[in-house]
Amino acid sequence: MWKLTNEKYQVLLFEKIKTQIFKWFDTNNSEVIRNEDVYSFLHSLKGTSGTIQLGGLYHLSSRLLDQLEVKGKEQWRKCELREFLFELVSLSYQYEHFKETDLKKVEPSDIELPLVQMICEDVSMLILLKEAMEENGWMVMASSDPEKALSLYYDLQPDCLVIDIDFTEADGFQILEKIQQHNHKQFVPKVILSNENNRHTRIRAYEMGADDFIGKPIDIEEFSVRIKRQLERKHIFDQSVLIDELTKVYNRRFLFDTLERYLKDLERTNSVFSIALLDLDYFKNINDSYGHLIGDKVLEAFADFLKAKLRGSDIVFRYGGEEFVILLPRTNSQEAIDVIDRVLQEFKTIQFHEQGKTFNVSFSAGVFMVDNPALGSQDTLKMADHALYEAKEKGRSRVHGANVSEQSANNILHVSVIDDDAIIRTLLVRVLQTIDTEKIELDIKAFENGEKFFESERLTDKGKHFLILDGVMPVMDGIEVLDKVKNTAQSRGVHVLMLTGRKSEYDIARALKLGADDYVTKPFSITELQARIQRLIKRMF
């Protein structure tokens, strides 16, 4: 009962934040806000969040109050205050939608990013620490539900695990115990967080496999340093071995060493080679249906099959999870596609017998022929990954070849965010500003409804246009905006990503028919949305 009451007050507090943000930034009030009003608001947040155990919100409001005193302002312009409170706006949005988005698969923008998984019941603290870690360039997956987090851990194979053991209706140590039982073949550093910073609790944590213990309240700067230290330990361990413990094929680290050697040989001898990125189809369904031990058996069988069926000169690597890479020396694109397709056709006929049931497994593959040493290992893998994505988009269980296309150095893309929610507009603009679009220059503007978008005559700007459009708005529905865009002279150069709460097949079909390129249902994961937007933009060019 206490937990339910506490959750009720937590939701009400974040509603208060949203209401105040709307009042300051989405109404026609004065363009300036008094500093004493900002102070009063943050002071109230600090006191209430501390009382109802929102540690992350308490920490953030305390820090903002300290900054407020240093700045010594008498009043704020709206644009200044919007920037100052951005972390609070982001925290509010992520808290409101966290439970619906915390288990979605994130697409990393850099294949070398370390992956940290964090399990914590206090969502506000979880979000705050997640953002602190992401600022260090790490990829973070966050979970508030212990059971779902365990399943996610097995799927993710993180480089570091952070567990806050202060659960109201669960034993945090049981999470650590279950992971240790599964973790006998892999080294993953584990960091424990707790309010109980006493000798007995620390000893118990270390005895159960913890690599570090951090007591609350948490110093975020020290926390980041200690996580960094654990990731460095993991990196040193991975560097010391060349063979994947489970599948007994070469591992990711040796892949990059080998790729660099192949690229140098290409530069010296002009001997082209191909790279294939393979991903087992619907592998998560196997883990969900039969358990992770059976999933591991499938991975081992697949690795053995590849070693047996590929040519003697081909090299197999486990890239991570259910993904494998094959290097095919002195092989052009079509030859590589033929080899991988032959392997696919044979493998998907194999029957696995488990728990009285029989099932088959297929894979999707992307192939890229490397004939330019200037690409480097990262770009080479990205090209294979793009081809793999195309194979999945076309129905899986197939092999797709990649082609290199040159981009113009002066491409400009006009991006328009059209959404009646001030918080979402603020988040989307910030997301767009941080996207790596390489040689594409983004011209970003935000509009609170469709009428203001058309009044601005935005579509008359020369060049390509990308609209991020809310499907449900009080002034001009998103479908109406799409319909009007379709009837403009510039419609052929416009690409659209719809963001909406609508889930009916009719609305989705209508949006796509009117020209939407993709359709995302709210609530959405900010990190996933960023990767999705980045991918759509790159495909436009």
Side-chain angles (χ1 to χ4, degrees), residues 333-440:
S333 180
Q334 189 56 54
E335 291 170 341
I337 290 172
D338 291 342
V339 169
I340 303 302
D341 187 63
R342 172 181 55 79
V343 172
L344 169 62
Q345 300 310 318
E346 290 188 43
F347 180 69
K348 67 182 183 180
T349 64
I350 296 176
Q351 291 188 329
F352 291 87
H353 304 277
E354 298 292 343
Q355 301 173 13
K357 298 180 180 179
T358 301
F359 62 92
N360 298 79
V361 184
S362 63
F363 65 82
S364 303
V367 173
F368 175 59
M369 184 184 74
V370 187
D371 58 3
N372 180 6
L375 278 177
S377 57
Q378 297 282 5
D379 289 334
T380 295
L381 278 164
K382 283 181 181 179
M383 295 306 300
D385 187 52
H386 292 330
L388 172 61
Y389 169 78
E390 291 294 334
K392 291 181 178 180
E393 285 290 292
K394 293 180 178 180
R396 291 183 167 85
S397 188
R398 66 188 65 224
V399 183
H400 186 82
N403 295 309
V404 179
S405 59
E406 296 296 325
Q407 291 181 322
S408 168
N410 298 309
N411 283 324
I412 297 177
L413 179 63
H414 306 289
V415 184
S416 301
V417 177
I418 310 170
D419 197 302
D420 63 315
D421 190 318
I423 286 181
I424 292 181
R425 287 202 307 274
T426 301
L427 289 172
L428 288 174
V429 170
R430 176 59 70 89
V431 164
L432 287 161
Q433 290 171 340
T434 59
I435 282 180
D436 176 18
T437 54
E438 298 177 353
K439 297 178 181 180
I440 305 168

Side-chain angles (χ1 to χ4, degrees), residues 11 14 87 104 107 113 116 127 217 244 250 256 260 295 303 338 371-372 469 506:
V11 171
F14 277 101
E87 281 187 85
K104 289 186 177 180
E107 299 177 44
L113 288 181
V116 180
I127 293 170
D244 177 67
Y250 290 116
F256 285 99
E260 289 297 332
D338 291 342
D371 58 3
N372 180 6
L469 176 62
Y506 172 77

Side-chain angles (χ1 to χ4, degrees), residues 64 109 320 368 453 521:
L64 290 174
S109 57
F368 175 59
F453 169 71
T521 303

